[in-house]
Structures are given as structure tokens and as C-alpha cells.
């Protein structure tokens, strides 16, 4: 990858909102969109992770979803209550939402339109995997390949998060920068599962950078409602024809390993890669396996389509 090929963050108008995006890699390389998860800014796709993918021959585009980071912040909606979750789980009473995953899928396609990209390889993590699945279902002609990481189908039979991981989702927002930085470290320690001192050393700096780009606790709540209100994609996923790779950690406490297995089982000919010891995070020690799998999968799909 040429050093000059990196484009700093910019704003595009897409699907009626502003989307902040950043590009790594040569303009004529295979386009690959990275879609981040619930409440996570685009910088949670680590700079070096993006650079390594770009060095494999991809034009890597990461972006802030609506309601996060430098993209448009929406309005409306109330904080999700445990009572609503109970009603959803036991009485099947839907959660109210100001938008759903299909709207976030349209944001993704709108960004592709703004960048002049007819079709791309999609890589989504957690909620980003759900959005990538929805793009693949609703706009199949725009997807060269799908990689769904630590995500799920929305199938209510998939085991729920561990109690500790669920408690983090429902915790009230931090009231100060110091509390945010402390909470950030604690949250990722729970999500990573196990000992990752090399990641923990980087967490304060990551938290500072995330805080500096701007927090939107109400937006995270709206994103969570979007996930819960969108229901199950399991039956629809049987119709996916895009080459699909599913990556999941064996000890994921938030989206349990069964979520990845259910995704792979629901999509015809999907390849499943379970990464031993990986939780709900992308620590650098797992990058060689993850990046290698994405590289092989997307380039194989490109070669078949050529």
C-alpha cells in the first residue's frame, strides 16, 4: 500500500444523513467496507488492522455508523428498560425503535453510492455483522462477499449474553471523562475474556481517542433498540448467495458462539471459522488468523466473479 493512499476522515452525505468515513489503500484495489458494532466508533477497527488489510490488496473503508462518532446523531427514543427486555423475551412484545437495521444497511449502501462503489466486500463485527447481513439480503447486487464476525442471526433461541456482559449493556452512561476511561478498560476486559496485557496497555489511549471524537449515549441506546426491533434474519438468510465467511470466538460472552454457528448454518455454503480463546473483541494476537481468512475469502470471491 502506498503511504499516499491513506485518505484522512471525510464526511459524505448518504441516505439523508452525514457519514464520517476513512479510506486505506489504493483506489483501484478491491473495495472492502468495515462495519463496526453497537456503540463502537470506526476507530475500533484499529489503524494497523486496516493498514494490514490494505497491504493485502484492498481499498479499506471504515466509517462511523449513524448515532456514533462523527456521523449524524439522531433524535428520539427512551433508554431501554429491563422490563422491555423481559416483555420481548417472554411475551414477544416488540421493542419500539426510531430506526432499524435496514435503515443502517441503507446508510452503508448510501455511502457506497457517494463513493462510486457499485459493489464491495462487506466485513461486519457484532451489530456490524447484522448490518452486513441486512445489506446482503436487501441489496444482494452490492455485495461481492460477506464476512460476519462475532455476530448472529437475531434468532431468539441463541443463548443470551452472560450476566456480566449483559450488565455492561444496561449500565448507565459514565458521568465524566475519568469514569469513561475507567469503564472502557473494564468493559473490554470483560469482552476479551482472559489475559491480554498488551491490549490493556493500549486501552487508556483508545479511550482518550474515542472520548475526543465525541460520545453519544442516547445514540447507543437507539442502536440497541434497532437491533432488538429488527427481529430474526434466520429464515431470510437461507436465500443468501454471496460467498460468506463467519468468524467467531469460542469464549464470546456477548454474542455467544452459538450465534456464529447459527449464522453459518443459516447461509448456504458459508464457511465457519471458530477462533479458540477469542471473546467479543479483536485483539492483535488473533489478527494473523482473522486477516488471513478475510484476505483468502474475499480474493477467492473476486477471482470467481472475474
Amino acid at each position: 500500500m502506498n503511504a499516499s493512499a491513506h485518505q484522512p476522515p471525510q464526511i459524505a452525505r448518504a441516505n439523508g444523513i452525514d457519514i464520517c468515513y476513512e479510506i486505506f489503500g489504493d483506489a483501484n484495489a478491491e473495495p472492502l467496507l468495515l462495519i463496526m458494532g453497537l456503540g463502537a466508533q470506526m476507530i475500533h477497527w484499529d489503524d494497523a488492522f486496516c493498514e494490514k488489510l490494505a497491504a493485502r490488496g484492498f481499498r479499506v473503508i471504515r466509517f462511523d455508523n449513524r448515532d456514533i462518532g462523527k456521523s449524524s446523531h439522531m433524535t428520539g427514543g427512551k433508554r431501554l428498560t429491563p422490563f422491555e427486555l423481559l416483555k420481548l423475551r417472554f411475551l414477544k412484545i416488540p421493542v419500539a425503535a426510531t430506526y432499524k437495521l435496514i435503515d443502517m444497511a441503507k446508510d452503508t449502501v448510501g455511502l457506497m453510492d457517494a463513493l462510486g462503489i457499485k459493489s464491495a466486500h462487506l466485513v461486519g463485527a457484532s451489530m456490524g455483522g447484522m448490518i452486513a447481513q441486512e445489506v446482503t439480503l436487501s441489496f444482494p447486487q452490492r455485495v461481492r462477499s460477506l464476512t460476519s464476525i462475532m455476530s448472529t442471526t437475531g434468532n431468539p433461541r441463541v443463548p443470551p449474553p452472560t450476566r456480566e456482559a449483559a450488565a455492561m449493556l444496561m449500565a448507565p452512561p459514565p458521568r465524566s471523562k475519568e469514569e469513561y476511561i475507567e469503564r472502557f478498560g473494564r468493559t473490554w476486559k470483560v469482552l476479551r475474556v482472559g489475559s491480554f496485557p498488551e491490549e490493556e496497555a493500549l486501552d487508556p489511549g483508545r479511550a482518550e481517542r474515542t472520548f475526543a471524537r465525541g460520545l453519544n449515549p442516547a445514540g447507543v441506546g437507539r442502536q440497541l433498540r434497532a437491533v432488538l426491533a429488527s427481529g430474526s434474519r434466520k429464515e431470510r438468510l437461507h436465500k443468501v448467495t454471496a460467498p460468506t465467511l463467519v468468524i467467531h470466538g469460542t469464549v464470546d460472552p456477548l454474542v455467544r458462539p452459538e450465534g456464529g454457528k447459527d449464522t453459518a448454518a443459516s447461509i448456504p455454503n458459508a464457511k465457519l471459522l471458530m477462533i479458540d480463546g477469542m471473546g467479543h473483541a479483536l485483539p492483535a494476537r488473533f489478527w494473523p488468523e482473522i486477516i488471513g481468512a478475510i484476505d483468502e475469502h474475499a480474493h477467492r470471491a473476486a477471482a470467481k466473479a472475474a
Side-chain angles (χ1 to χ4, degrees), residues 151 234 246 248 256-266 272 274:
S151 194
K234 183 172 175 62
V246 177
H248 217 102
R256 305 298 280 279
E258 291 83 355
K261 291 173 183 176
D262 193 51
T263 305
S266 302
L272 176 63
M274 299 298 296

Side-chain angles (χ1 to χ4, degrees), residues 60-104:
V60 179
I61 299 136
R62 66 179 181 182
F63 64 98
D64 287 325
N65 286 311
R66 62 166 66 198
D67 252 338
I68 210 75
K70 299 287 187 183
S71 290
S72 288
H73 291 187
M74 317 307 282
T75 58
K78 295 178 181 177
R79 186 169 171 74
L80 191 71
T81 66
F83 184 56
E84 283 179 282
L85 288 177
L86 288 171
K87 287 197 297 183
L88 173 67
R89 188 167 178 195
F90 295 109
L91 302 176
K92 305 293 184 279
I93 296 173
V95 165
T98 53
Y99 54 83
K100 295 185 179 180
L101 292 176
I102 182 61
D103 299 294
M104 302 180 84

Side-chain angles (χ1 to χ4, degrees), residues 3-24:
S4 60
H6 175 233
Q7 298 178 25
Q10 299 173 67
I11 299 290
R13 194 70 181 168
N15 194 28
I17 63 172
D18 289 337
I19 297 284
C20 180
Y21 70 95
E22 186 173 6
I23 299 178
F24 300 80

Side-chain angles (χ1 to χ4, degrees), residues 157 231 236:
R157 293 186 177 180
R236 295 166 61 216

Side-chain angles (χ1 to χ4, degrees), residues 222-280:
R222 283 188 289 270
Q223 288 186 352
L224 180 56
R225 284 182 175 276
V227 170
L228 295 171
S230 294
S232 176
R233 293 169 298 285
K234 183 172 175 62
E235 293 306 317
R236 295 166 61 216
L237 286 169
H238 297 329
K239 300 173 184 172
V240 168
T241 57
T244 299
L245 169 66
V246 177
I247 301 174
H248 217 102
T250 59
V251 293
D252 193 325
L254 190 63
V255 180
R256 305 298 280 279
E258 291 83 355
K261 291 173 183 176
D262 193 51
T263 305
S266 302
I267 298 175
N269 303 312
K271 180 184 175 186
L272 176 63
L273 172 61
M274 299 298 296
I275 298 185
D276 191 42
M278 188 173 92
H280 199 78

